[in-house]
Amino acid sequence: MNAGAGPNGLIVVNRGIVEYAANEEEVCLVLAHEIGHQAANHIATSQRNKAAGALVGAILLGALGAAASYGSYGSPDLTRQAMEAGADVGGAIGKISFSKEQEREADYLAAVILYRSDIDLDKARGFLVTLARASGRKETGMLDTHPAGPERIAGWDRAVAEIRAANGGLPQRA
Ligand SMILES: [Zn+2]
């Protein structure tokens, strides 16, 4: 179970997310969170993540080069290469991590995005509860790169209350 944001607007969502999610709204929360990292340009603001981002870009370029040299879709070799590139990108993106402040900002933006998209914020919240429950187990990759637990849920609840009161408006920056 993992998801991440990469360079050039890339967002990766592993199948585990969909398997853990109880409904579509929970998957939307994960996507909106990663869109939040993109919208706030979090990758470019971290030196460590710039390096990981460059690696992801190189893997994608390699995959595109392979596709171009085969020149046709549907070849088994191409499919295998694309799958390997996908796994590599997922692995590299799994190494991209953000500060606690950036995670809070991504959650806040996610709540704004979901609110403005008319997606049920209370249903979406369920994913944070699932994450908190899973946080004692080691096999959940998401927890290596994302905070989980009561603080994150409390932060989400505060954000949602604020965003509902502001009818989806963003807070003024100081
Ligand atoms: Zn995040």
Side-chain angles (χ1 to χ4, degrees):
M1 174 170 69
N2 207 351
N8 302 319
L10 185 72
I11 288 172
V12 169
V13 175
N14 286 9
R15 190 173 61 196
I17 296 285
V18 181
E19 288 169 355
Y20 266 80
N23 52 49
E24 289 179 357
E25 286 81 358
E26 294 189 7
V27 179
C28 288
L29 177 136
V30 175
L31 278 170
H33 175 93
E34 301 307 337
I35 293 170
H37 280 308
Q38 297 289 6
N41 210 14
H42 286 164
I43 291 162
T45 50
S46 151
Q47 254 336 306
R48 207 168 70 80
N49 285 342
K50 270 189 206 163
L55 176 62
V56 171
I59 293 165
L60 285 177
L61 267 183
L64 284 176
S69 65
Y70 282 109
S72 70
Y73 288 98
S75 110
D77 281 340
L78 180 55
T79 306
R80 183 181 51 76
Q81 289 221 359
M83 284 176 64
E84 283 170 3
D88 287 349
V89 166
I93 283 189
K95 290 185 180 60
I96 295 180
S97 63
F98 301 104
S99 69
K100 282 192 167 159
E101 189 45 52
Q102 288 176 322
E103 291 300 339
R104 268 196 295 274
E105 190 175 29
D107 272 352
Y108 199 97
L109 291 170
V112 170
I113 289 163
L114 296 183
Y115 180 93
R116 292 186 185 179
S117 308
D118 255 334
I119 288 165
D120 189 322
L121 289 161
D122 298 319
K123 278 191 186 172
R125 179 185 186 272
F127 199 80
L128 299 180
V129 177
T130 299
L131 272 184
R133 286 207 189 106
S135 65
R137 302 202 294 270
K138 285 286 169 224
E139 76 273 20
T140 46
M142 185 96 187
L143 300 164
D144 299 338
T145 52
H146 285 84
E151 329 76 55
R152 191 174 179 192
I153 296 173
W156 174 261
D157 290 342
R158 272 194 307 275
V160 166
E162 240 178 84
I163 290 157
R164 281 177 172 153
N167 196 22
L170 284 169
Q172 300 295 316
R173 285 195 187 260

